[in-house]
Amino acid sequence: MESELPDIYCPFPQRSNPHVDHTREHLDAWTRRTGLVHRESARRRFEQADFGAFVGMVYPTADSEHLDLVADWFVWLFLVDDQLDDGHLGRSPDRVRDVVERMRAVVEGTAPGPLPGEEAPAALVALADLWERTTPQAAPHWRARFTWHLMTYLTTATTWEAGNRAAGVVPPEETYIARRRHTGAIHVCMDLIEIVTGTGAPESVHNDARFITALEASCNVVCWANDVYSYEKEQVLGEIHNLVHLVRHHRGYGKREALEHVCAEIATETRRFLTAEAELLDLHPELAGLLVPYLDGMRSWMRGNLDWSRQTPRYNPADVSQYAEPGAYLEESVLGVGAEPAQPDTGEARPAPDRARQDGPDHARLDAGDARLDAGDAWLGAGRGLR
């Protein structure tokens, strides 16, 4: 696939973690114990993706225990995301609202115990395990930020994205770019840098304009590179939430021109990160011991995501036919929400993604969600608008 894509500018060195083999073994055992991967077809697809290698590329300095922990978060996020993006649940926001609220109860510490004979969805079992292993030693302001980022990912994916799909709404580029950092759960992953490095950044750092710029730019690089590499996969699924697709839709570009445009924007964001990084370190030399590991974590994410995307079969265009039948790899036990009963055929055609409308009766509800998301961003001191 690499030969078919424009070059993506990335001036950071390729690295990997020496504990990857152990983490692969750990992931196999953990996904079996929590029930996240059951069927053999799903197990084969999970193993081929090689999330152990991915986490080793984006957290190359983590010790073995922390690498296992962030790998478990990766797998949880990817498997939940597949349920919300690839299958019928991605077009049925009301059907996953209950399980998302149960996830909220887990992270807020208000989840009731299981009823006798009740089997909780695997995603809830795994999330409870992750939360217990992640948060006990974390500072209160980190837990608050991490909780908000995690729940914003879940609610944006299940409300904004699913609402767009259900209503046939194609979002504007600017709106998509702002939301992409949430739907990609990249803020969750960047928060974990503090756990891996043991450097708790105070709120004064997170509220610094240069830190905000560096974080926003690095998140954009990761998310947009993912859109480039997952474009063929998402075309098979009819997914509209992809920057390459939106550039084609709104600007009338051909495929190659749209890919080149997005790759050029990735280069711009990378340079924006480098500028903000240099300014931040120049202005706060006394914080170098805290800032350097955090900024290095952002660099590792930009580089490692690119390296893994180039090699994983998950985005191989020669194998995108696997996504034509999501039921072959999606497992209902992950979220505990089964397929919707079949509806009688009325003979009415559904809007195709490329012809989907850009407004509609559901837009007021979606706009209200955007306003809440913007308010949360302002509270956290992040996402201060686009360049």
Side-chain angles (χ1 to χ4, degrees):
M1 178 174 184
E2 183 65 18
S3 62
E4 300 175 4
L5 295 175
D7 289 336
I8 293 180
Y9 172 64
C10 188
F12 314 122
Q14 183 176 24
R15 295 188 292 175
S16 186
N17 193 296
H19 304 297
V20 165
D21 287 342
H22 176 272
T23 294
R24 287 191 181 108
E25 295 177 2
H26 166 82
L27 282 175
D28 181 74
W30 187 74
T31 54
R32 293 180 190 275
R33 177 167 60 83
T34 57
L36 282 172
V37 183
H38 269 297
R39 290 180 299 165
E40 281 307 307
S41 59
R43 174 68 54 183
R44 286 193 300 271
R45 181 174 179 268
F46 170 76
E47 291 173 350
Q48 288 171 356
D50 200 358
F51 293 112
F54 187 13
V55 76
M57 293 174 183
V58 295
Y59 298 104
T61 63
D63 62 26
S64 181
E65 180 182 358
H66 283 130
L67 194 68
D68 288 350
L69 174 63
V70 292
D72 292 345
W73 272 111
F74 267 41
V75 167
W76 188 87
L77 289 165
F78 266 101
L79 294 179
V80 168
D81 198 63
D82 281 350
Q83 294 288 327
L84 299 178
D85 278 356
D86 296 7
H88 60 91
L89 296 178
R91 290 166 174 78
S92 307
D94 292 341
R95 305 196 65 229
V96 291
R97 186 168 291 124
D98 177 65
V99 72
V100 169
E101 287 308 307
R102 293 177 71 181
M103 290 176 181
R104 185 188 302 277
V106 168
V107 302
E108 293 180 350
T110 60
L115 298 173
E118 180 187 25
E119 185 172 350
L124 287 178
V125 173
L127 179 59
D129 175 77
L130 286 167
W131 204 252
E132 183 177 350
R133 292 159 56 203
T134 304
T135 60
Q137 305 304 318
H141 67 268
W142 184 91
R143 288 199 301 271
R145 186 187 324 111
F146 187 74
T147 298
W148 192 84
H149 282 148
L150 178 63
M151 294 313 305
T152 301
Y153 153 67
L154 290 167
T155 54
T156 307
T158 58
T159 301
W160 184 72
E161 282 195 326
N164 285 343
R165 296 186 193 105
V169 173
V170 178
E173 285 181 45
E174 184 179 17
T175 301
Y176 171 78
I177 286 170
R179 297 292 167 259
R180 183 66 172 92
R181 294 188 291 274
H182 295 291
T183 63
I186 187 58
H187 281 301
V188 174
C189 300
M190 293 295 188
D191 286 338
L192 289 170
I193 293 172
E194 294 187 48
I195 298 296
V196 166
T197 62
T199 54
E203 289 301 276
S204 58
V205 168
H206 282 277
N207 291 333
D208 186 284
R210 288 152 294 272
F211 184 89
I212 291 168
T213 297
L215 180 61
E216 180 181 280
S218 60
C219 288
N220 286 343
V221 167
V222 172
C223 291
W224 302 352
N226 176 260
D227 282 2
V228 168
Y229 277 91
S230 65
Y231 173 70
E232 296 291 346
K233 162 187 178 281
E234 293 181 340
Q235 288 298 288
V236 172
L237 291 166
E239 177 58 80
I240 59 175
H241 298 100
N242 180 291
L243 188 55
V244 179
H245 175 84
L246 293 181
V247 166
R248 294 193 68 181
H249 176 87
H250 291 299
R251 301 180 185 228
Y253 289 176
K255 175 183 172 181
R256 183 70 186 185
E257 188 178 9
L259 286 166
E260 289 176 347
H261 173 85
V262 173
C263 290
E265 290 296 300
I266 291 171
T268 299
E269 290 297 287
T270 303
R271 295 185 184 98
R272 192 164 74 105
F273 166 83
L274 290 170
T275 299
E277 177 188 51
E279 291 176 353
L280 190 62
L281 293 173
D282 285 345
L283 286 169
H284 299 290
E286 75 282 3
L287 296 177
L290 183 154
L291 290 172
V292 169
Y294 210 130
L295 292 163
D296 185 62
M298 296 180 197
R299 286 168 164 247
S300 295
W301 250 105
M302 288 184 277
R303 179 74 212 197
N305 174 67
L306 190 60
D307 291 333
W308 180 74
S309 298
R310 286 169 170 164
Q311 71 181 43
T312 179
R314 183 180 175 90
Y315 304 135
N316 184 351
D319 197 30
V320 293
S321 60
Q322 64 179 300
Y323 297 106
E325 297 292 339
Y329 59 86
L330 296 179
E331 301 192 86
E332 293 179 359
S333 59
V334 172
L335 293 181
V337 183
E340 195 169 16
Q343 299 296 317
D345 186 1
T346 63
E348 296 181 3
R350 297 180 181 180
D354 276 338
R355 296 190 300 273
R357 60 186 181 273
Q358 297 177 52
D359 52 17
D362 286 346
H363 236 125
R365 174 176 55 80
L366 296 174
D367 288 343
D370 285 352
R372 289 192 296 273
L373 196 56
D374 290 337
D377 271 341
W379 173 67
L380 287 165
R384 300 282 180 86
L386 304 175
R387 68 178 189 282

